[in-house]
Every structure is written in structure tokens, then in C-alpha cells.
Amino acid sequence: MLTTIPKHKLVRLHGKAVKELNDRIHERDGHCCVLCHKPVDDDEKWHHVNFGNGNKSDVEEEGVTLCMDCHKNKAHGDDSRGIRVVLLQYLEAVNDEN
């Protein structure tokens, strides 16, 4: 018997849909970086928590508001894996609330 593994359907948004998603994520995160709590301009794009794997979907459950400094640390800092764990825990908590 052959078992199939369901594929992860990627969501790619464009135009107005991206802006609406950005607005929802910024609103959920209080318009502040979820790591350092510094205010983040609403025009600043939200960031995917999962990185480097090409399986990033444009959905609220996978995005957070980060300032540019924290985004750089998440992507290239000495503790990027630890930061990713903190962000995943944050998303798990806010997603459980909804």
C-alpha cells in the first residue's frame, strides 16, 4: 500500500492582500517589535519566522513584526537559532489565543 504525504500548500500574496496581511500582523503585535518592543512603522514589512527553507507562506500564523536590528540578528546573529525558537514560541502563544 502506497502512502502519500500531503504537500504544504504555499500561500503567496500580492498587492492589496499583502498590505492587509501586514496591517493585521502589525495590529496583532501592537505595532512594536516582538523581541525588543521598539515601535515599528506600519510601512515596515512583517517577517517570516521560518527562514532558509523556501516553504514560507504569506499567512498571519507564520509572520511577526520585527525592527530591522532584530531582523538582522534573527537572520545573521550569533544566536539566530535561539531567536527563532523565541519567535516560534511567541507565534504558538498568539495563535493559541485565536
Side-chain angles (χ1 to χ4, degrees):
M1 178 178 200
L2 183 63
T3 305
T4 60
I5 299 171
K7 290 187 176 184
H8 177 70
K9 175 103 170 114
L10 296 180
V11 176
R12 297 285 188 225
L13 301 178
H14 303 281
K16 186 178 179 183
V18 172
K19 171 73 171 120
E20 290 171 352
L21 176 62
N22 195 59
D23 291 346
R24 286 194 312 273
I25 291 174
H26 278 265
E27 179 71 26
R28 181 200 65 202
D29 296 343
H31 307 276
C32 292
C33 176
V34 299
L35 293 173
C36 72
H37 309 291
K38 181 168 61 173
V40 176
D41 190 306
D42 287 346
D43 292 332
E44 189 75 41
K45 185 183 179 292
W46 61 278
H47 299 278
H48 292 97
V49 170
N50 291 316
F51 57 93
N53 62 7
N55 291 327
K56 300 183 285 190
S57 283
D58 296 341
V59 294
E60 191 171 342
E61 297 80 12
E62 294 184 20
V64 293
T65 304
L66 294 176
C67 68
M68 289 310 295
D69 290 336
C70 288
H71 178 256
K72 287 177 191 171
N73 286 333
K74 178 191 84 103
H76 307 291
D78 292 337
D79 191 26
S80 61
R81 290 185 193 272
I83 291 170
R84 185 171 173 263
V85 168
V86 169
L87 294 174
L88 289 170
Q89 290 170 341
Y90 170 79
L91 282 177
E92 184 177 321
V94 296
N95 291 331
D96 284 348
E97 289 176 7
N98 298 327

